[in-house]
Amino acid sequence: MSESPPPYRVLARKYRPQRFAELIGQAAMVTTLGNAIKRDRLAHAFLLTGVRGVGKTSTARLIAKALNCIGVDGQGGPTIDPCGVCEPCVAIAEGRHIDVVEMDAASHTGVDDVREIIEAVRYSAVSARYKVYIIDEVHMLSKNAFNALLKTLEEPPAHVKFLFATTEVNKVPVTVLSRCQRFDLRRIPADTLAAHFAHVVTAEAVEAEPEALALIARAAEGSARDGLSILDQAIAHGTGLVTAGQVRDMLGLSDRGAIRALFGDLLRGDAPAVLAGVRAQHDLGVEPVALLHGLLETTHGVTRAKVGGGDDPALSVEEREALADWASRLGFATLHRLWQLLLKGHGEVQAAALPLEAAEMALLRVVHASTLPDPGELARRIAGGEVAMPAAPALPSAVEEAQASLMKSTVAAAPPRLPADVVELEAMLGGASEHLLAQQVHDYARVIRFEPPVLDFAAHPRLDEDFTRRLMAVLRKATQQIWTVSLAEAPEAAAPSLYEQQQATEADERARVLAMPVVQAALAAFPDAALESYTPPHTQSPERSAHA
């Protein structure tokens, strides 16, 4: 009787790394571990954190191998390059080594589960060099379980190593983090994943288009396991050839060529073409939110190309050329406005009861906004007396209304006139809620030169460089002009401050009151009398007056 074929193993398990050299995208961590093993500076507890599928559990098993490998001849010691053929390596790889215990904290959350570990660590390893405890999703342990583990984690026996893995390190108590050597596993770059998937399809004797592998790598979002699961599905979906079209259909992704065409229609303001493109993609099964997502990616790609952010290796030559062309023709203001409009539309489509209709409305808003002038340019034209706008194609009435509203708001937001004197300057500062600056100007600012936007004040102990710096910043924000404020040693050329002027006015008014005949008669009749206070008529309330 013939033996039945072995059961199929999914790619994510079949191509799980068995050596550190096979662990992709984590070179920094491998280097650190290798140096620690060579110098015999191994921590008693390791914490591995990162997003799903980047190799946390695989790394923990590789560390267990590295610590317990005895080499082909049975005489080896800890090594960053375990042989993979000795009994400890084979047993650990197959998950049956008695001294390497794996525990899923998601299903063993209580203190009793941890107590079993605490009691077991007292005994030496049966056959391995180190007894290793691998606890996956360690953040799921209860508070009491963590507390029970602390003492053992801080001072474990020399023959015990703890390896923790988690996707949510922020949920692990600080008391545990401080007792572990932490490794943050990075998201794997899309180009690295695509190259890895190319090796996998070659080993599986399957042909795949480079663009298809790039699409899978991008959809994996840095996770090797997610990418291999998608690749497994793509191989089953096809007939020996994995094509980009099949991957798009399988994942519900929009055709990137169609996205580029739709992006171009948006920039041209061609509303009928935009609506036709949205409907065509919807008929092909592309979700409206995926369409907005693709347009956001394109806007981001154009902006990166404009600032020289480097080419994305996952993009085709055609895509790179298109992005570079748009980057040469679009300004940053336009790109940022596109991004904000599309991002707002993306959120609306996600929450909408009618996603398709919401997507159409969001993109029509982008079409209409693309025909409006840049607000900054419009403000400059108005400030320069150029009221007439440059010739433009006829716009729908709704867009004309939006343009008129924009012009009105821009005129309303025109910078205020410059203050004519120090009194208006104080009022402007008070209106800008800069009361401390206003008080300093009122009390200590003695004007030498007042020719906005240039101000020269006499030096005063209460006025320093911080005063001039803050005053220039506030005035620049309030008037949209660059100001120059300085302090000079020229008291003879300086006008009195507002406070000094106020004091002088009050002194003159006091002298005038004292010179009144009725007041002179009162002082003569009452020699001990004195004028205590006086409020000038223009500031006093009706019931207040001079009193002696």
Side-chain angles (χ1 to χ4, degrees):
M1 183 177 180
S2 60
E3 295 183 1
S4 58
Y8 176 71
R9 296 177 66 198
V10 296
L11 298 181
R13 292 187 60 193
K14 186 176 181 180
Y15 292 96
R16 172 171 279 169
Q18 299 300 320
R19 302 175 59 187
F20 280 106
E22 300 172 4
L23 191 65
I24 60 175
Q26 312 299 340
M29 182 200 65
V30 173
T31 300
T32 303
L33 280 174
N35 292 335
I37 292 174
K38 290 177 183 177
R39 298 168 186 171
D40 195 21
R41 299 181 63 88
L42 291 168
H44 57 268
F46 297 87
L47 178 71
L48 307 171
T49 179
V51 298
R52 68 193 185 283
V54 294
K56 297 183 298 296
T57 306
S58 296
T59 300
R61 292 174 180 172
L62 290 176
I63 294 175
K65 277 187 185 181
L67 296 177
N68 289 314
C69 178
I70 59 175
V72 179
D73 58 0
Q75 303 299 318
T79 174
I80 193 63
D81 190 20
C83 66
V85 297
C86 66
E87 175 55 27
C89 286
V90 174
I92 292 171
E94 295 176 354
R96 57 177 176 82
H97 199 292
I98 192 172
D99 291 318
V100 178
V101 181
E102 292 193 34
M103 187 181 87
D104 176 22
S107 55
H108 300 80
T109 62
V111 68
D112 291 336
D113 301 304
V114 172
R115 188 176 292 116
E116 293 181 7
I117 296 177
I118 296 172
E119 293 175 354
V121 297
R122 295 181 296 175
Y123 304 102
S124 299
V126 176
S127 61
R129 184 178 296 111
Y130 292 103
K131 182 177 285 189
V132 180
Y133 290 92
I134 301 174
I135 303 181
D136 200 10
E137 299 301 337
V138 69
H139 67 273
M140 299 291 287
L141 289 178
S142 67
K143 181 178 180 180
N144 290 337
F146 273 124
N147 290 335
L149 188 61
L150 283 179
K151 188 61 178 177
T152 302
L153 186 60
E154 185 172 22
E155 298 178 0
H159 61 273
V160 175
K161 301 291 182 184
F162 287 98
L163 303 176
F164 301 142
T166 178
T167 54
E168 300 183 50
V169 69
N170 58 300
K171 294 184 179 180
V172 179
V174 177
T175 49
V176 173
L177 291 175
S178 64
R179 290 167 168 83
C180 300
Q181 188 173 101
R182 174 174 167 175
F183 290 100
D184 290 82
L185 277 68
R186 302 177 179 180
R187 289 181 184 269
I188 306 172
D191 55 336
T192 304
L193 283 176
H196 178 59
F197 298 155
H199 290 302
V200 171
V201 294
T202 300
E204 292 290 310
V206 175
E207 294 184 11
E209 294 179 353
E211 186 179 356
L213 298 180
L215 287 171
I216 294 173
R218 191 180 295 114
E221 296 182 345
S223 170
R225 184 176 63 236
D226 286 8
L228 287 173
S229 298
I230 298 173
L231 179 60
D232 217 341
Q233 183 180 356
I235 293 174
H237 185 79
T239 56
L241 174 63
V242 179
T243 66
Q246 291 172 345
V247 173
R248 290 193 188 94
D249 293 340
M250 183 184 74
L251 298 178
L253 298 175
S254 57
D255 181 12
R256 301 197 63 86
I259 287 290
R260 293 196 299 275
L262 183 58
F263 189 79
D265 293 336
L266 286 173
L267 295 180
R268 287 190 298 272
D270 191 343
V274 168
L275 292 178
V278 172
R279 289 287 176 174
Q281 289 295 292
H282 186 264
D283 292 340
L284 292 174
V286 178
E287 293 296 328
V289 70
L291 202 63
L292 270 294
H293 189 276
L295 290 170
L296 281 167
E297 284 186 335
T298 303
T299 305
H300 177 257
V302 174
T303 308
R304 279 182 58 88
K306 189 169 184 65
V307 300
D311 292 333
D312 185 350
L315 299 178
S316 65
V317 175
E318 183 182 4
E319 285 181 285
R320 295 180 193 177
E321 291 177 350
L323 296 182
D325 178 57
W326 281 321
S328 66
R329 293 189 286 114
L330 297 176
F332 284 113
T334 302
L335 290 170
H336 292 318
R337 183 166 51 176
L338 268 173
W339 175 264
Q340 292 297 330
L341 289 169
L342 290 172
L343 191 62
K344 179 177 174 59
H346 186 272
E348 292 174 351
V349 172
Q350 283 184 313
L354 301 171
L356 177 60
E357 288 75 6
E360 290 180 342
M361 294 300 293
L363 295 182
L364 286 176
R365 184 168 60 216
V366 176
V367 167
H368 294 159
S370 69
T371 64
L372 295 176
D374 179 74
E377 177 63 25
L378 186 57
R380 286 191 293 271
R381 289 177 176 274
I382 293 175
E386 301 178 33
V387 179
M389 298 301 297
L395 303 176
S397 59
V399 181
E400 291 177 346
E401 293 175 3
Q403 194 174 45
S405 175
L406 177 62
M407 292 178 64
K408 182 179 179 181
S409 64
T410 305
V411 173
R417 69 181 183 87
L418 302 182
D421 52 31
V422 71
V423 176
E424 291 190 4
L425 175 63
E426 180 194 8
M428 175 182 289
L429 296 173
S433 298
E434 292 290 341
H435 301 296
L436 177 59
L437 276 177
Q439 187 67 38
Q440 288 178 304
V441 168
H442 179 273
D443 292 351
Y444 313 120
R446 303 176 65 197
V447 177
I448 298 175
R449 179 185 180 190
F450 198 95
E451 299 176 3
V454 178
L455 302 178
D456 292 336
F457 297 121
H460 190 282
R462 296 295 185 91
L463 303 181
D464 53 16
E465 291 184 359
D466 184 62
F467 164 77
T468 60
R469 178 183 57 79
R470 291 190 299 115
L471 182 59
M472 286 189 292
V474 172
L475 291 176
R476 179 175 183 176
K477 182 177 180 181
T479 64
Q480 299 179 15
Q481 290 197 35
I482 297 176
W483 286 68
T484 301
V485 180
S486 61
L487 301 174
E489 296 288 347
E492 66 282 352
S497 69
L498 294 179
Y499 176 74
E500 291 171 338
Q501 295 177 34
Q502 179 183 339
Q503 292 292 94
T505 301
E506 292 178 359
D508 292 342
E509 188 68 19
R510 180 183 180 90
R512 188 185 66 80
V513 170
L514 288 174
M516 290 180 178
V518 65
V519 175
Q520 289 290 331
L523 291 175
F526 302 98
D528 295 332
L531 183 64
E532 292 183 354
S533 64
Y534 175 76
T535 303
H538 65 280
T539 60
Q540 67 180 348
S541 57
E543 67 274 7
R544 292 191 61 189
S545 62
H547 60 277

